[in-house]
Amino acid sequence: MRKYFKVIDDFLNPRVFKRLLTGVESNSISWIWNNDSYIDDSGKGDNLWMFSQILFNTNPPTAHPFYPAFQIIEDIQADIVPFKKVIKQKLNLYPNQGKNILHKEHKDINTGEDIDKQIMTSVFNFHSCNGGTVVNINGKEENIPSKANRLILFDNSYHYGYTQSDINRRIILNLNVIKW
C-alpha cells in the first residue's frame, strides 16, 4: 500500500499565518531546552540540542494556553485528510549553529510497532531557509526544503530534519494524529 504524502504551500491564509508567526517569534512562548532532538527506545539521545514547546499531548495529558490558536492548522488539515483525534502538537525551534546539521531519522509516535499505520504526521514551517525535512516515503527519501507557510503531510514514516545556517532560527509545528 502506498503511503500518503503531500506538500501544501500557502497552507494558511496570509493573515492567519502572520498572526501565528508573530506568536511563535514573540516572548510569549517559553521555549524549553532539549539536550537531544531525539531519544531512542533505549533512552540514548542524539546530543543535537534544540528548543521546543508542547502545545497539546495525550500522554501525559497536556494543553498549553496557546493551543487553541494553533487548532486552525488541525481544522484545515482535517478538511484535506480527515482524522479521528489529535495525539500531539509540538513547536520546535532550531537555532542557527553555523552549518546544516542532520538530525537522527525517527518516527514521532512509538506504539511498539515499527511503523503504526494509524498515525499521520505533519510538519508546518514558519520560515523559509536552507533547513528542511526529509521523509522516507515508499522506500524513497523526499527532501522538502523549509518554506514559510508550507505543510508537509505524510503517513507515519521515518523522517528527519536538518537545521539551517542562513537565518537565526527555524521554527516548525509538528502534528501527529490518529487517522481512524
Side-chain angles (χ1 to χ4, degrees), residues 103-148:
H103 286 261
K104 184 171 176 55
E105 184 178 61
H106 65 280
K107 58 187 190 242
D108 286 347
I109 304 296
N110 292 311
T111 60
E113 296 182 36
D114 183 34
I115 295 290
D116 189 332
K117 293 173 179 43
Q118 293 185 75
I119 308 293
M120 178 164 274
T121 296
S122 60
V123 176
F124 181 77
N125 291 282
F126 284 97
H127 300 100
S128 296
C129 63
N130 66 0
T133 302
V134 179
V135 182
N136 189 325
I137 296 294
N138 302 311
K140 180 181 176 204
E141 282 196 345
E142 298 283 347
N143 179 15
I144 307 98
S146 184
K147 181 179 176 188

Side-chain angles (χ1 to χ4, degrees), residues 22-37:
T22 299
V24 299
E25 289 184 336
S26 75
N27 294 342
S28 299
I29 300 281
S30 297
W31 293 99
I32 308 297
W33 169 265
N34 296 267
N35 287 326
D36 304 289
S37 70

Side-chain angles (χ1 to χ4, degrees), residues 71-124:
Q71 285 180 298
I72 191 164
I73 293 173
E74 297 170 9
D75 295 341
I76 296 170
Q77 180 176 316
D79 289 340
I80 298 165
V81 179
F83 58 85
K84 183 176 172 182
K85 81 177 202 177
V86 174
I87 302 170
K88 185 161 108 177
Q89 193 182 99
K90 180 178 129 183
L91 291 166
N92 292 335
L93 184 154
Y94 302 99
N96 183 332
Q97 297 183 45
K99 62 183 177 180
N100 295 100
I101 297 172
L102 300 178
H103 286 261
K104 184 171 176 55
E105 184 178 61
H106 65 280
K107 58 187 190 242
D108 286 347
I109 304 296
N110 292 311
T111 60
E113 296 182 36
D114 183 34
I115 295 290
D116 189 332
K117 293 173 179 43
Q118 293 185 75
I119 308 293
M120 178 164 274
T121 296
S122 60
V123 176
F124 181 77

Side-chain angles (χ1 to χ4, degrees), residues 43-60:
K44 185 175 189 292
D46 62 9
N47 200 32
L48 298 174
W49 53 272
M50 60 182 249
F51 296 90
S52 68
Q53 181 57 256
I54 292 177
L55 297 175
F56 179 82
N57 201 356
T58 56
N59 188 20

